[in-house]
Every structure is written in structure tokens, then in C-alpha cells.
Amino acid sequence: MMRRRMTIILGALAIAALVGGLMLLVLSMDGLNWLEGLMVALSALLAAWVGLGFMTASAGFALSFGQRGAAPPATRQDVDTRTAILLPTYNEDPGLIFSAVQAIAEDLRRLGPADGYEIFVLSDTRDQTVAGEEVASLLRTRLRLGDGPEVHYRRRAANIDRKSGNIAEWVESCGGGFDYMLVLDADSLMTAETIHALKDEMDADTRVGLLQTVPTIVNAETPFARLQQFASRLYGPVFALGQQWWAASEGNYYGHNALIRTRAFAESAGLPHLTGPRPFGGHILSHDFVEAALLRRRGWTVRSLATLTGSYEEAPPTLLDMAVRDRRWCQGNLQHVRVLGAAGLHWISRMHLALGIFAYLAPGLWLATLILGAVVWPPLHVTRGSARYDEVQGLFWLTLALLIIPKVMALVLALRSSDLRRGFGGASTLILGFLVESLASLLTAPVMMVMQSVAVVDVLLGRDSGWSPQRREGVELGVRDVWRAHGAHVLLGLAGGVGAFLVSRYFLLWASPVFLSLALSAILSFHTAKPRLGRALRRRGLLSIPEEHEPPPVLQRSVALRAGYAAESEARRRIAALLRKPIPAYEAFRNPQKKLRELREVA
């Protein structure tokens, strides 16, 4: 295991040395000042970050290409264990929650008796109207399921410590009755086969504290969500398998779609309140990384099952929704600075925490490197045929290769598998989707870089992100909303492009993706948020994934139930209005059937 980890780390350091060496060669021909030295250091640091991803993807590619790395399925154990399926919710659409509850319950019954499973909807909802609909949906779901599995509902009086507090309260009040808890999110789904496979794996290895699945994004409506869905399905397994290879028993936790041994969690994963004011103090927002580290510190293994399919989630529908979620994650991950030095943590757990922190520092460092480039490049006079020209070209192509080769690896694996190739719509459709996604990520990554850099500055200035419900459904964004969010980005892109042209055409060529992304950010954000455009892409099969061509029964059932719930919304509103309307006694006496007829018509 140490050889595996050293292979990944030394490979990343070698890439950093190569990029840093090329940058040093370019900048030091006429001596090296402190700004140029800083640019060399930043380039090497960012190359190490990219190199770690490159090495991880390379390991995943080698394992997949050699058809190794997929652990044999666990032997079914004759163990009488009980599993609680937990769905925490906070002001979410009850139709989303209870369609998942019913679909999962029916899928479990499809494979046989579901006596060992119970479902808990853990509500932190503050909106009284939504809470009322949750209770109504609960009663209807119980009636529809009949014999089981049993569905419970608990709404907390106070939203203490948010989601992690919600789970912790369930562990304290109910956890003693269950061996395992399957933690899902409001938008999560899992097939019965996958649930049984997780349970069998944990039954077989009593040292396992947590088994993390790698969820596939589904139900994408907008072009932006479909791009995330396609990228996650095509590239995600390669990176996940590579990380599983070097992390092994010191894996990570992503907060949902994972099976946890309840006793292990109860004795290991209680979270502290960090001292001082928010955003660095108080409740830990990104609780999952810390919980995984605490489980491992206590001696429990934390594993990821990269080859196990049948685990699903949804993506934010727009770039703006992604930025809102990212802002909360940014604050939570930066809080981990306070946790890194905790006693007894495994060094790989510290590495996960450090990588999570750096994921939000990296965009700011990219931006700083770009600004430094505007200062450093003009005096170099890099032109075709000059002494530095070949080195600059080599640096450009090396950076591009580090970013694109992992994606190409994933594409090769998909084209090599007849099932995957067919699931993505055929070779030509898959390649076209790959090209579209690559172009889209090239255009959206720089604007996300700027937004994440602003988020880091916000946190450093002491601004708390709060905790607002995530929007799940696609909506048409208004021009005013888009301009309010991206107006500064557009002006920065246009001004930066003009300034870069005046500085050096080679610097403009090097930085053009950033300025182009910023200049087009409002247009991209506006059009990629349109559900009707997403539906058009789906009809044409572009950016499709295997789960759309052959959806599993649990996903089909959930979508049908969710659509049925949405179709009933007007009837529910009218019934509620009728029931709120007072009925004078004389009217009820003179015409007692009138109100009943109205209710029947609505029903």
C-alpha cells in the first residue's frame, strides 16, 4: 500500500518538477527576480495538484484496462442484521423525498422480504406548509406500501447543527436498534441490489465502519446539469477507481449514498463545535470528511466501492445554483484548517482534508498566476524563433495534456466496452458528447475559478454562507438575474482581453480561454439553464448516459411517482383552499351536498 501511495505522490511531484523546471528555464534566461520566482513556485504547486489527479486517473485507467481492481462480490452472509435507511430533508419538495422512499421500498420488496429494513425521513423543515405536505405524503406512502418496509417520520423542533446534527440525533435516539444506517440525500436513490451488496460486504468484514458508493448523476433537465451528468458518468469511474486503489482502507466520505456501521459512527464520529465566530468557528459544515477521519482514527476502515453501480444523485440545474452550493462547501472545507492538526488522525485522512482545502485555494492561485503572467511575460519578448519560444510551447502543450489525457483515458475505456458504448448512444454520439463537454468545461471552468476565488475571499473576510435549500428543478433564468450575477465577469473578461492584447499577443493567446469564458459567462449561464434546451438535447441523444437508455426499475418508478405528485399540485391547492374556507351553518343545513360535490370534483 505504501508503494501505491508513493507512486501517486512521487508521480505528482515529478510532474510538478517538470512544469516548474520548464517555467524556470523560460524565466531565468536573463536572471530571475522575485516575481518570476513566485510564478515558478505557483506553477509547480498547481502542477502538483493537477498531477495528483493525472496519476489517480492513470491508476484507474490501468486497473480498468487490465480488467483488474473490481473486488469479487462479498459472499452472502447468514447474519440477522437490521438496516435503517435515512433521508434527511430541509425544506425540500416532499414529492422528491417520498417518491424516493416509495421507489426504494418497492425495489427492496421486489427482491424478497424487506423485514430487515426500515426507512426514516428526518425532517428539519422550517416552512409550515412544506411540513404539512410532508406529513400528508407520509400517510399516503404508508397506505401505498401496506406491509412494509415501515416508514417513520420525525421533524425536529430545532435545526441544531443542520444535517450532521439531524443524523446525530437519530443515532442517539434510535441508532441502538439498528446495525447499519444507509445515509441518503434528498435527491438520492439506490437500487435494492446495491443496498444488499453493501450490507453483504459489511456483514463479511466486521472492521468496516463505512462503505461509500460513487453516485451517478441522473434526471438532468437543463444543459448545464446534462453536462455535469455526462462528465460524472464518463470520467468519474476512472478517478474513483484510482483513488480507491491508493486510499484503500483510509477512504473518504461524501456525506450521502454510504452505508455506515451505526455503533462505529456512534463511538467515533461525534463532531466538535469549533471555537470562535463563524465562518471558521461553530458547527462544521463539511462534516463528512471529518467523520471519515474520526472513524479511521478509532480503528474502523473507511472504504469506497468504485465499481459498485446502482447509486444515484442529482446535480444543480444551473451555474448559479452550482455557485451557491460551492460557496457553502468552500466555507466548510476551509474550516478543515482547524481540524488538520487533530491528534491521532491517519496521514491519509489528513491528506484528504488538505486536498479538500486546496480544492478551493487552487482557483485563487490560478488567478494569481494569470495576473503574474500579465506582469512577467511582456518583458520576455517571446516571439516565433526566439530562444524561449520552444520552451513556452512545450509548457503550453504539457499543461493541456495533463488536463485532457485523463478525459481521453475515460473515453477510450467507454469506446472499448460494447455495453458502455451502446449506453452512451453509440461511438459517434459518445465522441460528439465528449467534444461538446470538453468545450463547455473549457468555457465554464474560468468563470467558476473566479467565483470560487471570490468565495474564498468572502470566507477570509468573515462572511458566513448560511444554509439555504438547494434548488433541484430547472428554471428559466431572467436576463436581470443573469446580469446581476455575471455583469462584473463580462466586464472583467472584455477589459482583460483588451489589456492582454496590448501587453502581448502571446500572452493573449495563453490567457484567451479565461477572458473568453468571462466575456461569455452571462450568455452561457442564461442558455445552459433552459430546461427546454436540455430536453431537446435528450431527444437527440446528445450528452446521454447509459441510465437514460436503460433506466433501472427504481429510477423509473421514482420519476413516475414524482411526476404524479407534481401533477396533483393544483388539486392539493384547491382542496386546501376549500378546507380553509369557513362553511356557514345555514348553508350546510340547506345544501349539505354542495361542499361534498366540490371536494369530489377536485379529488
Side-chain angles (χ1 to χ4, degrees), residues 83-116:
T83 303
I85 301 173
L86 310 183
L87 287 94
T89 178
Y90 174 67
N91 290 339
E92 298 279 359
D93 175 17
L96 172 66
I97 300 294
F98 285 93
S99 63
V101 168
Q102 185 174 339
I104 292 171
E106 291 175 352
D107 210 42
L108 286 170
R109 290 196 309 198
R110 177 178 59 84
L111 294 188
D115 299 338

Side-chain angles (χ1 to χ4, degrees), residues 68-83:
R68 295 183 291 116
T75 304
R76 291 303 297 262
Q77 304 294 309
D78 187 16
V79 181
D80 185 18
T81 53
R82 301 183 68 213
T83 303

Side-chain angles (χ1 to χ4, degrees), residues 32 50 66 82 112 130 144 192 320 332 337 347 350-351 385 423:
L32 198 70
V50 174
R82 301 183 68 213
V130 175
R144 288 178 171 177
L320 299 185
V337 171
W347 72 275
R350 296 188 201 277
M351 182 175 170

Side-chain angles (χ1 to χ4, degrees), residues 33-324:
N33 60 40
W34 72 271
L35 282 177
E36 292 168 337
L38 180 59
M39 189 165 181
V40 170
L42 285 178
S43 299
L45 179 61
L46 291 168
W49 166 251
V50 174
L52 190 66
F54 178 86
M55 293 299 297
T56 299
S58 298
F61 175 76
L63 291 167
S64 299
F65 200 83
Q67 296 181 339
R68 295 183 291 116
T75 304
R76 291 303 297 262
Q77 304 294 309
D78 187 16
V79 181
D80 185 18
T81 53
R82 301 183 68 213
T83 303
I85 301 173
L86 310 183
L87 287 94
T89 178
Y90 174 67
N91 290 339
E92 298 279 359
D93 175 17
L96 172 66
I97 300 294
F98 285 93
S99 63
V101 168
Q102 185 174 339
I104 292 171
E106 291 175 352
D107 210 42
L108 286 170
R109 290 196 309 198
R110 177 178 59 84
L111 294 188
D115 299 338
Y117 297 93
E118 294 184 32
I119 300 174
F120 290 80
V121 177
L122 307 177
S123 174
D124 265 341
T125 294
R126 303 296 96 192
D127 187 309
Q128 293 296 328
T129 301
V130 175
E133 291 192 6
E134 287 175 353
V135 173
S137 298
L138 168 75
L139 297 174
R140 182 176 58 178
T141 302
R142 281 178 172 173
L143 288 171
R144 288 178 171 177
L145 290 177
D147 296 334
E150 193 170 353
V151 180
H152 307 275
Y153 174 85
R154 190 279 320 273
R155 181 172 175 236
R156 290 203 296 171
N159 182 11
I160 299 171
D161 292 348
R162 301 188 172 100
K163 178 183 174 181
S164 63
N166 201 354
I167 298 293
E169 188 170 312
W170 179 88
V171 170
E172 292 170 357
S173 60
C174 304
F178 296 89
D179 301 278
Y180 313 137
M181 57 181 187
L182 179 67
V183 180
L184 302 178
D185 249 358
D187 59 355
S188 295
L189 272 177
M190 198 173 285
T191 66
E193 289 86 354
T194 301
I195 294 172
H196 284 313
L198 288 169
K199 177 182 173 297
D200 292 339
E201 189 74 27
M202 196 164 277
D203 287 342
D205 188 350
T206 57
R207 301 172 305 155
V208 175
L210 186 148
L211 291 172
Q212 175 69 63
T213 64
V214 182
T216 297
I217 295 176
V218 292
N219 296 334
E221 293 183 352
T222 63
F224 180 81
R226 291 190 65 78
L227 286 164
Q228 307 308 306
Q229 176 180 270
F230 180 84
S232 165
R233 186 63 177 86
L234 182 58
Y235 314 136
V238 176
F239 286 94
L241 187 57
Q243 181 165 315
Q244 177 184 300
W245 180 73
W246 63 258
S249 297
E250 287 76 41
N252 211 351
Y253 175 38
Y254 303 120
H256 57 90
N257 290 49
L259 186 68
I260 303 173
R261 193 179 301 274
T262 313
R263 179 169 66 88
F265 193 85
E267 72 180 22
S268 310
L271 293 176
H273 277 205
L274 302 176
T275 58
R278 295 175 181 174
F280 284 100
H283 166 62
I284 299 175
L285 293 182
S286 294
H287 54 90
D288 38 17
F289 281 39
V290 181
E291 287 162 345
L294 295 177
L295 279 165
R296 192 67 194 96
R297 180 173 72 172
R298 190 82 175 198
W300 298 99
T301 62
V302 177
R303 290 167 46 200
S304 176
L305 302 179
T307 57
L308 183 63
T309 58
S311 179
Y312 308 106
E313 65 175 339
E314 296 184 11
T318 71
L319 179 61
L320 299 185
D321 291 304
M322 175 74 85
V324 170

